[in-house]
């Protein structure tokens, strides 16, 4: 009937629309499943932001703490260990407890002329006759070897002289030694050509030869003997330069690698009268604590004119 054919048209259109709606819903569901709902929070809120800046800053702090720990903890432990060798009234010379230290009792105050050599009994020397002018030892780093006769006088003032073989100790190893000296008064560092060990430390009457710049005995030696008033003659003397004295730390008298000749001054001074002002020095009371530092400038007077060693065959 005509009426029936007129009703089938709208039904077909509705079915097509329903089918399209179902397909669209299925596609949306597939996309949601594939994305897993990423970037959305419960309830359909805004996507979560990962705090990368905060995480990065935290990682940098952790890395910095690790670096500080690696560098500072060993130094702290070394300082604690070295502090056990600080001198006191009960233990006036703690170097006796440092393995390998050589000790010799030398007379003080025997001065030679700037042109004279001394026939030292050890290399590097650590006592005996010396030039009337000391090498500057205010935490001084000498890039080149210096004259031994000047360096020994610095030891008489309480300094520690660190030397190294420039053929064996180079680069970062030298910088390790520089860190132990630079800015620390009553110390000095210089290369020593021909040294029979990589490193050698000297204070008046004391020497320690070592194979490594990292040996903990370096710090122990410095702690025990640097300006230790129980172990050197001229207590209270300065390590600073005196203008016009003849020793310029920027251009010091050079090291002489040749063997001393027959006219060299012997270790007993060869008849040179010791300077009595340097014999015995200024001694502290035995019950007094050893100071961490002594005054830098207690005396600014030039030492007395050194006596010439007697010439063989003369009446001097």
């Amino acid at each position: 009937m005509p009426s029936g054919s007129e009703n089938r048209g709208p039904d077909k259109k509705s079915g097509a629309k329903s089918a399209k709606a179902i397909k669209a819903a299925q596609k949306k569901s597939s996309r949601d499943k594939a994305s897993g709902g990423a970037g959305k929070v419960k309830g359909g809120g805004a996507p979560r932001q990962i705090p990368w800046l905060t995480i990065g800053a935290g990682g940098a702090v952790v890395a910095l703490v690790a670096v500080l720990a690696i560098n500072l903890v060993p130094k702290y432990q070394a300082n604690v260990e070295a502090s056990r060798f600080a001198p006191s009234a009960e233990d006036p010379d703690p170097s006796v407890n440092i393995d390998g230290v050589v000790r010799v009792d030398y007379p003080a105050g025997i001065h030679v002329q700037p042109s004279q050599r001394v026939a030292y009994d050890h290399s590097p020397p650590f006592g005996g006759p010396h030039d009337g002018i000391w090498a500057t030892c205010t935490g001084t780093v000498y890039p080149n070897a210096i004259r031994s006769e000047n360096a020994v006088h610095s030891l008489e003032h309480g300094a520690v002289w660190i030397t190294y073989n420039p053929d064996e100790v180079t680069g970062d190893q030298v910088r390790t030694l520089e860190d132990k000296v630079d800015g620390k008064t009553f110390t000095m560092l210089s290369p020593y050509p021909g040294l029979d060990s990589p490193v050698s430390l000297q204070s008046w009457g004391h020497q320690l030869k070592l194979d490594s710049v990292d040996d903990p005995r370096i710090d122990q030696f410095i702690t025990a003997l640097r300006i230790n008033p129980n172990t050197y003659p001229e207590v209270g003397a300065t390590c600073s330069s005196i203008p016009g004295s003849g020793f310029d730390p920027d251009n010091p008298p050079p090291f002489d690698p040749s063997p001393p000749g027959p006219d060299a001054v012997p270790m007993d001074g060869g008849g040179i009268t010791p300077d009595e002002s340097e014999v015995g020095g200024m001694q502290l009371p035995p019950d007094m604590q050893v100071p961490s530092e002594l005054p830098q400038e207690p005396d600014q007077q030039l030492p007395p004119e050194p006596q010439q060693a007697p010439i063989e065959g003369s009446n001097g």
Side-chain angles (χ1 to χ4, degrees):
M1 295 182 293
S3 60
S5 62
E6 291 174 358
N7 290 337
R8 283 197 296 270
D11 288 341
K12 288 181 179 180
K13 290 180 180 179
S14 297
K17 290 180 180 179
S18 297
K20 287 181 180 179
I22 292 171
K23 288 182 179 180
Q26 289 175 339
K27 287 181 180 180
K28 183 176 183 302
S29 176
S30 299
R31 287 196 300 269
D32 289 343
K33 287 180 180 180
S35 63
K40 291 189 177 182
V41 297
K42 188 176 182 180
R48 293 177 180 174
Q49 298 294 325
I50 299 176
W52 293 112
L53 184 61
T54 302
I55 294 173
V61 171
V62 172
L64 178 61
V65 170
V67 169
L68 291 174
I70 292 171
N71 288 278
L72 297 182
V73 170
K75 291 182 179 179
Y76 172 77
Q77 292 174 335
N79 289 336
V80 170
E81 173 64 18
S83 68
R84 299 193 303 107
F85 293 85
S88 65
E90 294 75 25
D91 190 8
D93 183 3
S95 71
V96 298
N97 300 313
I98 302 174
D99 185 45
V101 173
V102 174
R103 298 168 192 83
V104 179
D105 186 17
Y106 289 112
I110 301 177
H111 292 165
V112 302
Q113 295 283 358
S115 60
Q116 288 181 293
R117 301 281 304 279
V118 177
Y120 286 117
D121 55 351
H122 289 82
S123 181
F126 54 97
H130 50 268
D131 194 282
I133 302 298
W134 55 91
T136 304
C137 44
T138 53
T140 312
V141 174
Y142 293 100
N144 300 312
I146 62 176
R147 182 169 173 256
S148 295
E149 285 79 4
N150 297 101
V152 171
H153 195 154
S154 303
L155 306 184
E156 193 180 53
H157 286 200
V160 169
W161 178 28
I162 302 179
T163 55
Y164 61 93
N165 187 327
D167 292 331
E168 299 184 44
V169 176
T170 59
D172 288 342
Q173 294 175 315
V174 175
R175 284 185 281 276
T176 296
L177 295 178
E178 290 176 350
D179 288 342
K180 298 180 183 300
V181 169
D182 191 19
K184 178 175 283 189
T185 187
F186 288 92
T187 62
M188 58 185 181
L189 171 72
S190 69
Y192 194 91
L195 182 62
D196 59 1
S197 65
V199 180
S200 183
L201 290 85
Q202 290 71 225
S203 72
W204 184 266
H206 299 73
Q207 185 174 68
L208 176 62
K209 293 189 174 183
L210 300 169
D211 293 329
S212 170
V213 300
D214 298 315
D215 196 305
R217 287 174 290 176
I218 295 177
D219 292 331
Q220 295 170 9
F221 188 97
I222 295 171
T223 300
L225 296 167
R226 185 178 72 97
I227 52 174
N228 178 349
N230 306 293
T231 59
Y232 67 96
E234 203 174 352
V235 177
T238 183
C239 249
S240 298
S241 301
I242 296 180
S245 67
F247 188 94
D248 179 359
D250 294 324
N251 186 27
F255 174 76
D256 189 343
S258 65
D263 59 343
V265 177
M267 286 301 293
D268 63 5
I272 298 176
T273 301
D275 180 355
E276 293 299 328
S277 69
E278 297 186 6
V279 178
M282 180 183 69
Q283 296 301 320
L284 298 178
D287 59 342
M288 227 178 139
Q289 290 293 322
V290 177
S292 59
E293 289 285 351
L294 291 176
Q296 277 281 338
E297 307 289 347
D299 67 279
Q300 286 296 315
Q301 299 299 315
L302 286 174
E305 183 68 22
Q307 289 182 266
Q308 176 76 34
I311 300 173
E312 187 175 351
S314 70
N315 295 326

